[in-house]
Structure formats: structure tokens, C-alpha cells
């Protein structure tokens, strides 16, 4: 798919799920693969795909464990398989099947977690995907990627089709996803991307919070605090080489993720920093280690300090501490 300003705007309006459907539709014109869904073809943006390629889409029904087994069977036959459902259901509900079929057997199924983070809004904690990245990081041999915007969703799906390892792709944001990329750029699984250089603070983010982190960095620059920003789309394996090189000389590292502060991006950065030694102090921004009362997406992000204003305020506070 051509990446340009017009398409980036269109994908943003469609949202993460609509963009997923368009990416898989375009990919199917060039490559053979199957998509398995847990009764969420339309919710996954796959209505047109189902109409165009009915033999390539398999509806397992609301039976996510069976969906993983079907996708694993397809992969065993040497075919590429994507499997989609809402983030907590495609991961935590299917841990045994994922552990054995993807982790242990290393079958290259590509799991796609829809509406990760707080996108399910008033559906509440049962539908929030706030532990999914942490859980998938624990599974041996599984790569975990969280695209920053809809353009990066397209890049991730294209890369995933040729990736011969099991993978979890975590989609944050609904419609009107903030645009980060309007032009083509080098994307590689496992390699972070420097979005902005800076000398005082290193902000490491993924998913929709990348956009908010860039806004926060711009605001901090006006106050005399120079903030660098990395889009760390892959957290397993994390790009520790880039992280360590960018952290040198900084006074603070801040991680920003629409996920629990336990086990996800913040933890991955903490582990890499601890092993490297002599690293700046780390502050993790995300959902606190607790179940929260439900609210709309924007409200929940505000409560967790994931807006540009809150990120900037957290940096300001820690720099003055």
C-alpha cells in the first residue's frame, strides 16, 4: 500500500481496525494467507476481505482457544495465518494454546489484538487490554509489536506476512487515530525508531502514546527541557542497543504506554537498563497496578497520565525533584 499524506489521513479516519482490514485486503492481492476470527470479521474490518476471499477467512465463532488451534494447524501446513480478536480474549483467554502451539512449537501464527488499551471504553476492565503485552512477553519465542499509528499498522502487517516467527500485534486506538507518519520510512521488527533527538530526557513510547509523547516533547522544548523520543514499537525483542545509546548523558528515562505499568514497555526498558548498568533513573507512565473504574477512552488516558500535558508535567516534576 502506498504511504503518503492522503492515505495516512484516510487510515486515521478509518481507525485501527478499518486500517487492518484494508492492509490485509491489499496484501491478499500479492500473497496467499488465511485469517481466522472469533466471530469478529466485521469488527476486525474484514467485511470486504470476507466477500472477496471467502475461502481465506475462517470464523471459529466465540471460541478463541479453538481459533488458536485452527491457526496453528494452518501454520503447520506451511501457510501464513493471522488470528484476530479483542486484545484480552486473543491472549489471556488462550494462554495454554498460545504457550504450546506458538511458544513451544514455534508455529508462525500472527495474533492481532484489537482495541488494546482503553479503547473498549465503558465495556470496562473485562474488555480492556491492559495486561496483554506483559503476558505475551512471557511466552518464549513470541515477538510483540505495538504500532504507533495506522500507517505503522500497514507497515507491521506487511512485515508480519514474511516473518517466520510467532507474533503478537497489539492495536491501540479506535477511529481518528492520531497521525504520526505521513511518509514512507524504514520499518523493521525489533528495531526502535528515533522520532526526536534531545539532550536532557529520553521518552520511550509505543502505540497511540507516541503521538502524545511527541507533543509533550515539543512543549518541554519551549521550557528549556530537551526531550528525545523513541517509538519502541517492538518490546520483545526490545532494541536495547538503541535504548542504551540514546539514554547516554540523559538525566531521566520516561516510558509511556497504554498498558499496565507492570510487565509491558516500562518493564522491558527497566530490564534492559538494569542489565546495562549506569543508566538514568526510570519513570513509568501507564495504567497503575490496579483495576480501575471504567470510563471513555479519553477519560481513562487522562486518569493514567497519558495525555501530552500529563507526560510533560511528569517530566517537569521529576526533573525538578
Amino acid at each position: 500500500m502506498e504511504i503518503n499524506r492522503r492515505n495516512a489521513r484516510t487510515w486515521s479516519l478509518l481507525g485501527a481496525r478499518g486500517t487492518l482490514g484494508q492492509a490485509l485486503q491489499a496484501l491478499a492481492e500479492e500473497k496467499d494467507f488465511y485469517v481466522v476470527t472469533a466471530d469478529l470479521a466485521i469488527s476486525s474490518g474484514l467485511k470486504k476481505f470476507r466477500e472477496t476471499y471467502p475461502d481465506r477467512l475462517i470464523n471459529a465463532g466465540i471460541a478463541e482457544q479453538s481459533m488458536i488451534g485452527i491457526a496453528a494447524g494452518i501454520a503447520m501446513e506451511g501457510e501464513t495465518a493471522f488470528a484476530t480478536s479483542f486484545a484480552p480474549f486473543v491472549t489471556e483467554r488462550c494462554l495454554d494454546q498460545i504457550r504450546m502451539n506458538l511458544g513451544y512449537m514455534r508455529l508462525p501464527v500472527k495474533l492481532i489484538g484489537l482495541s488494546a488499551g482503553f479503547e473498549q471504553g465503558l465495556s470496562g476492565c473485562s474488555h480492556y487490554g491492559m495486561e496483554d503485552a506483559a503476558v505475551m512477553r512471557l511466552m518464549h519465542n513470541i515477538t510483540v509489536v505495538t504500532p504507533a499509528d495506522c500507517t505503522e499498522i500497514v507497515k507491521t502487517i506487511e512485515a508480519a506476512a514474511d516473518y517466520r516467527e510467532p507474533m503478537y500485534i497489539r492495536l491501540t486506538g479506535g477511529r481518528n487515530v492520531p497521525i504520526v507518519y505521513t511518509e514512507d520510512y524504514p520499518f523493521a521488527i525489533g528495531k526502535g525508531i528515533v522520532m526526536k533527538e534531545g539532550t536532557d530526557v529520553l521518552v520511550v513510547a509505543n502505540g497511540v502514546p507516541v503521538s502524545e509523547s511527541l507533543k509533550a516533547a515539543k512543549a518541554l522544548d519551549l521550557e528549556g527541557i530537551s526531550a528525545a523520543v523513541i517509538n519502541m514499537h517492538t518490546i520483545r525483542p526490545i532494541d536495547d542497543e538503541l535504548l542504551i545509546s540514546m539514554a547516554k548523558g540523559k538525566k531521566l528515562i520516561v516510558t509511556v504506554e497504554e498498558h499496565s505499568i507492570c510487565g509491558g514497555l516500562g518493564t522491558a526498558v527497566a530490564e534492559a537498563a538494569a542489565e546495562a548498568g549506569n543508566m538514568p533513573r526510570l519513570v513509568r507512565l501507564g495504567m497503575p497496578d490496579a483495576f480501575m473504574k471504567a470510563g471513555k477512552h479519553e477519560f481513562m488516558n487522562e486518569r493514567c497520565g497519558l495525555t501530552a500535558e500529563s507526560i510533560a508535567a511528569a517530566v517537569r516534576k521529576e526533573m525538578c525533584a
Side-chain angles (χ1 to χ4, degrees):
M1 299 176 74
E2 183 178 356
I3 294 176
N4 53 43
R5 189 173 297 274
R6 179 179 179 181
N7 280 347
R9 186 165 54 249
T10 299
W11 296 332
S12 169
L13 293 172
L14 284 172
R17 290 190 248 169
T19 301
L20 170 65
Q22 285 211 348
L24 289 172
Q25 179 80 15
L27 190 65
E29 296 174 5
E30 303 175 4
K31 298 179 182 293
D32 291 330
F33 60 87
Y34 292 87
V35 180
V36 191
T37 176
D39 207 30
L40 290 175
I42 294 176
S43 294
S44 302
L46 295 169
K47 181 179 179 181
K48 187 176 179 182
F49 183 93
R50 182 177 63 183
E51 294 169 352
T52 309
Y53 304 102
D55 294 337
R56 295 204 215 170
L57 188 135
I58 300 169
N59 184 1
I62 306 175
E64 289 83 356
Q65 294 98 331
S66 296
M67 177 184 71
I68 299 299
I70 293 169
I74 292 170
M76 283 190 74
E77 294 299 314
E79 303 286 349
T80 299
F82 293 88
T84 75
S85 186
F86 291 125
F89 307 151
V90 78
T91 56
E92 295 160 73
R93 186 172 288 177
C94 310
L95 278 181
D96 182 53
Q97 288 76 17
I98 291 170
R99 179 174 179 267
M100 299 309 298
N101 293 327
L102 277 64
Y104 182 59
M105 297 179 69
R106 211 163 184 167
L107 295 172
V109 175
K110 283 74 180 179
L111 302 181
I112 302 173
L114 308 173
S115 299
F118 293 118
E119 177 52 32
Q120 286 296 305
L122 295 174
S123 295
C125 292
S126 63
H127 284 59
Y128 291 162
M130 303 309 297
E131 308 91 1
D132 54 314
V135 168
M136 297 307 289
R137 277 190 69 237
L138 288 174
M139 298 294 108
H140 301 302
N141 301 319
I142 299 180
T143 299
V144 181
V145 178
T146 304
D149 69 351
C150 290
T151 299
E152 196 155 80
I153 290 173
V154 171
K155 300 284 280 188
T156 303
I157 293 300
E158 290 176 346
D162 296 320
Y163 193 64
R164 300 315 301 165
E165 296 288 341
M167 186 174 180
Y168 176 52
I169 303 169
R170 184 174 191 266
L171 304 186
T172 57
R175 293 182 181 273
N176 297 312
V177 174
I179 297 172
V180 175
Y181 296 103
T182 58
E183 299 177 355
D184 204 354
Y185 64 99
F187 174 89
I189 295 169
K191 296 296 181 182
I193 301 171
V194 178
M195 306 298 298
K196 180 182 176 300
E197 297 282 357
T199 57
D200 298 323
V201 180
L202 175 60
V203 180
V204 185
N206 62 19
V208 170
V210 171
S211 173
E212 295 298 308
S213 297
L214 288 168
K215 294 176 186 175
K218 185 176 180 179
L220 289 166
D221 280 348
L222 297 175
E223 301 174 21
I225 300 174
S226 179
V229 180
I230 294 177
N231 168 19
M232 195 67 79
H233 50 71
T234 306
I235 64 170
R236 181 187 173 97
I238 194 167
D239 191 349
D240 50 5
E241 182 178 346
L242 176 64
L243 174 68
I244 294 165
S245 67
M246 287 292 291
K248 286 182 178 178
K250 304 293 192 300
K251 301 169 186 173
L252 183 71
I253 302 174
V254 178
T255 59
V256 190
E257 58 188 318
E258 195 172 328
H259 183 276
S260 169
I261 60 171
C262 301
L265 173 65
T267 300
V269 169
E271 291 169 354
E275 291 184 359
N278 299 316
M279 295 283 280
R281 188 162 53 91
L282 172 66
V283 173
R284 296 170 295 156
L285 301 181
M287 189 185 86
D289 184 17
F291 288 112
M292 303 175 68
K293 291 184 178 179
K296 292 183 178 179
H297 191 191
E298 297 78 7
F299 172 74
M300 297 301 289
N301 277 329
E302 288 176 4
R303 289 187 67 194
C304 292
L306 298 177
T307 64
E309 294 80 7
S310 297
I311 297 166
V315 171
R316 196 180 302 118
K317 175 183 175 182
E318 295 297 332
M319 289 291 287
C320 296

